[in-house]
Amino acid sequence: MAAVKKSVSVKDVARLAGVSEQTVSRTVHDSPSVRPETKERVRAAMRELGYRPNFAGRSLRRGKFKTVGVAMFNITGTGNLDRMEGFAAAADKHGYAITLTKVDGHPYTLEGASSRMSALPVDGMVVIMNRMPADFGTFEPLPGMQTVLVTMLEHPLCSTVDNDQFDCSRQVVEYLLGQGHKTVHFISCPERSLSGMQREEGWRETLRAHGVEPPRLVRGDWTAQSGYAAGQALADDPTCTAIYASNDAMAYGCIRGLESRGKRVPQDVSVVGVDDSLGDIVPDRRLTTVRFDNKRVGMWAVDKIAGAEGVASGVEHMLIPGMLVEGDTVRDVR
Amino acid sequence: MAAVKKSVSVKDVARLAGVSEQTVSRTVHDSPSVRPETKERVRAAMRELGYRPNFAGRSLRRGKFKTVGVAMFNITGTGNLDRMEGFAAAADKHGYAITLTKVDGHPYTLEGASSRMSALPVDGMVVIMNRMPADFGTFEPLPGMQTVLVTMLEHPLCSTVDNDQFDCSRQVVEYLLGQGHKTVHFISCPERSLSGMQREEGWRETLRAHGVEPPRLVRGDWTAQSGYAAGQALADDPTCTAIYASNDAMAYGCIRGLESRGKRVPQDVSVVGVDDSLGDIVPDRRLTTVRFDNKRVGMWAVDKIAGAEGVASGVEHMLIPGMLVEGDTVRDVR
DNA sequence: TTGCACAATGGCAACGTTAACATTTGGTCG
DNA sequence: CGACCAAATGTTAACGTTGCCATTGTGCAA
């Protein structure tokens, strides 16, 4: 009658079924070398006792955890949900689980994330690198801990994967130039954002590659309010017929700011954003923007670890291009 | 010279430091009964060999994993990021880790999520219950697996926690009635959403409690587009001076829909949303809305499990109220 | 009848850690 | 000087699982 507190082990099952522990283990793994009727007896015993294999015993024996750790410096970031969706999907596919850890700390190092992870039951780790860690250049992954960084930067010892921010800007700028615009103005973001700076660099270099000297950029802070201010400022610039904002919120803010100064989008000015995050939110506009496949980024990272299965697969650098989505905020001026 | 593949155990450290394994273990846990100079010798050996304690051995010995599992039916959902932030923060506080699992399956059961989790190294689990599982009423948590459900519904055997959707609607409706509006129109959401239906019920019952027969609702689908259509439809209704939309996107869509029909917000019609999700996205409006503390929901869930520490603490039901945030989309008509 | 192959099962050890108990050492007090 | 105490360290066993090898049983060919 007393509640059974102790957990049930193979030993208990073996005793009840009248077989050896080994036979129980073999039944759990559905080995063909156990007679069907024996299996059934063992299974009945497992059901009766409520047996569930113990993860610790198993991992200790096997030396594998079938788990990938994910270290994030800040959890609330654009695209993180989609990335997690990707982590979870890929993990699922390989029979792995995902362990999440928030890493904070000043300074903010890969070494810190790594040592934190190493105390957890994981076979490898993914670091979402929103900001630049202090030790990026010198970091060495722990032996036996396959490490994938989510960043556009390359690393000599760790595989990396991310959206191709540079190519994103190239697509946008070339698209706008292709529509006949003479130049493309840019609304940037805070300088601490890695991906934002890469977008900025892509914008600048693509313009130069087409023989256009980049105009002075307007610095924003990711919010629509800053985009609004930028739009108002650019409304007075007669050379400004096309604006590229580093995210959709600023792009939308910019449109409203232009409108508040009597400019119409796209008749007078074309505007493009990035992230495709406003589809369900803005009812009366279809913003031209770039859609990233963050889920695919997440899957790639986990595939790299869970798919390797101990085989020391080489370091790879993967960039996943975004897709330009045409809305109604760009006008062909040719 | 040959790369050392095998992992380093206490035994190796003990041998190198010339002490017993127990002394190594004591050093790892910084026990006061080891002489400082011995500790230093051991630490040096650990560094030299790159020793890291093995999670599996430890958990096997201790019978605890110091990990909480989180089961989600769909990862991409409003507020999930904030909830995860809460999970991670609370886990951190208790020295726990978070293990994430996506549960899919038709039908969609707590039993399925639970048995999936039971094969992972977790001491307890949290289920984010976006939809209604088939076995909600009959589900029994596995013995030794403390289970917390994120839902507004109560459960006899599992603790539950969620935002108080009912109270959210009460706040909004009473606020609008308090501003002198005779009734409050409602833009609802798809019927499969649990929280959405609770908002709807709260709207209906609060109106009735104030002696107002709820007007016919307009069904939306969470998108701004559906809100836009609803706004256009309601613009022709002369009794409609106040609209409550079950999320911000629809509220914003509604505002634009009203405007497209010549109605001004808030001069002609007041509009309130839910979620406080548009702050950085809409530049020229401050939507009156309700802000939920999803991080706190997440923290409560993990606290319940990690804080219990084996003590069988009772089943609790926690509802966390949202906070009405006043913007510029409501007019006092008294 | 013997020998042999093969199917089914059992026994044992080891994975890495640490709680509980045992032992040694050095020092203090009666 | 011996008895006793505390500090520091060592020994043993156990947590649950499973790979390896040994053992038993069964049928069949020589």
Side-chain angles (χ1 to χ4, degrees):
Chain A
M1 214 69 250
V4 187
K5 288 290 169 200
K6 273 257 300 108
S7 78
V8 182
S9 78
V10 274
K11 189 177 293 185
D12 306 306
V13 176
R15 190 160 31 222
L16 179 61
V19 298
S20 72
E21 302 173 27
Q22 185 52 225
T23 299
V24 174
S25 173
R26 277 191 271 249
T27 303
V28 169
H29 296 286
D30 205 15
S31 150
S33 65
V34 177
R35 270 217 320 267
E37 58 223 69
T38 311
K39 261 184 199 165
E40 203 28 69
R41 214 165 66 242
V42 173
R43 294 220 172 94
M46 298 200 311
R47 270 192 301 273
E48 182 172 340
L49 298 174
Y51 169 77
R52 289 178 295 126
N54 177 289
F55 185 89
R58 196 171 262 187
S59 319
L60 180 56
R61 189 63 239 252
R62 299 218 251 247
K64 280 274 157 200
F65 298 108
K66 301 278 254 173
T67 301
V68 175
V70 175
M72 305 180 128
F73 288 99
N74 53 342
I75 294 185
T76 320
T78 311
N80 271 359
L81 267 188
D82 290 326
R83 275 191 274 260
M84 281 195 221
E85 183 92 39
F87 295 148
D92 219 51
K93 184 175 73 184
H94 296 285
Y96 273 57
I98 293 295
T99 286
L100 205 67
T101 326
K102 186 180 151 89
V103 183
D104 34 25
H106 305 275
Y108 167 99
T109 60
L110 291 175
E111 175 55 33
S114 182
S115 71
R116 174 85 198 286
M117 263 310 166
S118 75
L120 297 176
V122 300
D123 304 317
M125 63 184 284
V126 178
V127 182
I128 300 198
M129 237 179 69
N130 323 65
R131 267 182 285 163
M132 187 69 185
D135 61 345
F136 180 78
T138 58
F139 172 72
E140 299 182 26
L142 286 168
M145 171 88 82
Q146 162 103 267
T147 302
V148 174
L149 308 176
V150 176
T151 175
M152 251 192 82
L153 303 173
E154 297 207 355
H155 192 280
L157 300 170
C158 303
S159 288
T160 59
V161 59
D162 206 354
N163 300 311
D164 194 337
Q165 309 289 355
F166 191 93
D167 175 77
C168 160
S169 291
R170 186 195 56 75
Q171 282 190 56
V172 170
V173 170
E174 291 189 345
Y175 171 70
L176 287 168
L177 294 179
Q179 301 287 90
H181 296 275
K182 298 288 172 233
T183 187
V184 176
H185 287 251
F186 185 64
I187 306 176
S188 73
C189 66
E191 302 195 5
R192 67 187 139 73
S193 161
L194 259 180
S195 55
M197 294 314 283
Q198 288 153 347
R199 284 176 199 167
E200 180 176 328
E201 197 188 324
W203 161 73
R204 203 186 308 275
E205 298 207 359
T206 307
L207 278 181
R208 291 212 172 107
H210 286 79
V212 179
E213 185 55 24
R216 209 155 76 82
L217 58 76
V218 184
R219 195 156 294 282
D221 64 1
W222 290 137
T223 67
Q225 285 75 20
S226 69
Y228 193 87
Q232 291 189 321
L234 289 167
D236 301 330
D237 182 340
T239 71
C240 175
T241 67
I243 303 176
Y244 166 36
S246 2
N247 78 352
D248 285 344
M250 292 195 294
Y252 185 62
C254 177
I255 291 173
R256 307 289 279 167
L258 287 164
E259 286 172 349
S260 78
R261 285 282 200 272
K263 294 275 186 177
R264 290 161 308 154
V265 176
Q267 291 82 348
D268 304 322
V269 183
S270 294
V271 176
V272 177
V274 180
D275 276 346
D276 192 27
S277 56
L278 298 187
D280 287 349
I281 294 167
V282 172
D284 48 354
R285 287 262 174 208
R286 279 180 31 249
L287 186 65
T288 295
T289 185
V290 176
R291 179 182 303 155
F292 287 118
D293 196 344
N294 281 301
K295 181 171 177 185
R296 200 168 139 219
V297 169
M299 290 183 68
W300 192 94
V302 168
D303 273 342
K304 181 77 188 167
I305 294 169
E309 287 288 345
V311 184
S313 54
V315 170
E316 286 182 74
H317 305 291
M318 181 70 176
L319 289 178
I320 298 186
M323 197 181 73
L324 193 108
V325 183
E326 292 191 49
D328 54 22
T329 57
V330 171
R331 175 160 158 258
D332 189 333
V333 296
R334 280 170 304 190
Chain B
M1 213 67 253
V4 188
K5 287 293 172 198
K6 270 255 304 109
S7 79
V8 183
S9 77
V10 274
K11 189 177 292 186
D12 306 306
V13 177
R15 189 159 30 223
L16 179 59
V19 298
S20 73
E21 301 174 27
Q22 185 54 223
T23 299
V24 175
S25 173
R26 277 192 271 250
T27 302
V28 169
H29 296 286
D30 205 16
S31 152
S33 63
V34 178
R35 272 218 317 267
E37 60 220 70
T38 311
K39 259 183 198 166
E40 204 25 73
R41 214 166 66 243
V42 174
R43 294 223 174 90
M46 298 199 312
R47 271 193 299 274
E48 182 172 342
L49 297 174
Y51 170 77
R52 290 177 295 124
N54 178 288
F55 183 90
R58 202 169 254 190
S59 323
L60 181 54
R61 187 62 242 251
R62 298 219 253 244
K64 280 275 158 200
F65 297 109
K66 302 276 254 171
T67 301
V68 174
V70 175
M72 308 181 121
F73 288 100
N74 53 338
I75 293 184
T76 320
T78 312
N80 271 357
L81 268 189
D82 291 323
R83 274 191 274 260
M84 281 195 219
E85 184 91 38
F87 295 147
D92 222 49
K93 184 174 73 184
H94 296 284
Y96 273 57
I98 292 295
T99 287
L100 205 69
T101 326
K102 187 178 149 87
V103 183
D104 33 27
H106 303 276
Y108 166 100
T109 61
L110 291 175
E111 174 55 33
S114 181
S115 71
R116 175 83 197 285
M117 267 303 168
S118 75
L120 298 176
V122 299
D123 303 318
M125 63 184 284
V126 178
V127 182
I128 300 196
M129 235 179 70
N130 323 63
R131 266 181 284 162
M132 187 68 186
D135 60 345
F136 181 77
T138 58
F139 173 70
E140 300 182 27
L142 286 168
M145 170 87 83
Q146 163 103 268
T147 303
V148 174
L149 309 176
V150 177
T151 176
M152 253 192 80
L153 303 173
E154 297 206 355
H155 192 279
L157 301 169
C158 303
S159 288
T160 59
V161 58
D162 206 353
N163 300 311
D164 194 337
Q165 309 290 354
F166 192 92
D167 175 75
C168 159
S169 292
R170 187 195 56 75
Q171 283 190 57
V172 170
V173 170
E174 291 189 345
Y175 171 70
L176 287 169
L177 294 179
Q179 300 288 88
H181 295 276
K182 298 290 170 231
T183 188
V184 176
H185 286 250
F186 185 67
I187 305 176
S188 72
C189 66
E191 303 195 6
R192 67 187 140 71
S193 161
L194 259 180
S195 55
M197 294 314 282
Q198 287 154 348
R199 284 176 198 168
E200 181 177 326
E201 198 187 323
W203 161 74
R204 203 187 305 276
E205 298 207 359
T206 306
L207 277 182
R208 291 213 172 110
H210 286 78
V212 179
E213 185 54 23
R216 211 155 77 81
L217 59 75
V218 185
R219 195 154 294 284
D221 63 3
W222 291 136
T223 68
Q225 286 74 22
S226 70
Y228 192 87
Q232 291 189 319
L234 288 168
D236 301 329
D237 182 342
T239 72
C240 177
T241 67
I243 302 176
Y244 167 36
S246 12
N247 79 349
D248 284 345
M250 291 195 295
Y252 185 63
C254 176
I255 291 173
R256 308 288 280 166
L258 287 164
E259 287 171 350
S260 78
R261 285 282 201 272
K263 294 275 185 176
R264 291 160 308 154
V265 175
Q267 293 84 346
D268 303 322
V269 182
S270 294
V271 176
V272 177
V274 180
D275 277 344
D276 192 27
S277 57
L278 297 187
D280 287 351
I281 293 166
V282 173
D284 48 355
R285 286 269 178 200
R286 283 185 20 257
L287 185 64
T288 295
T289 184
V290 176
R291 181 183 302 154
F292 287 117
D293 195 344
N294 280 302
K295 182 172 177 186
R296 200 166 138 220
V297 169
M299 290 183 68
W300 192 94
V302 169
D303 274 341
K304 181 76 188 167
I305 294 168
E309 286 290 345
V311 184
S313 54
V315 170
E316 286 181 74
H317 304 292
M318 181 69 176
L319 289 179
I320 297 184
M323 197 180 72
L324 192 108
V325 183
E326 291 192 48
D328 56 19
T329 56
V330 171
R331 173 161 161 258
D332 189 333
V333 296
R334 278 171 305 186

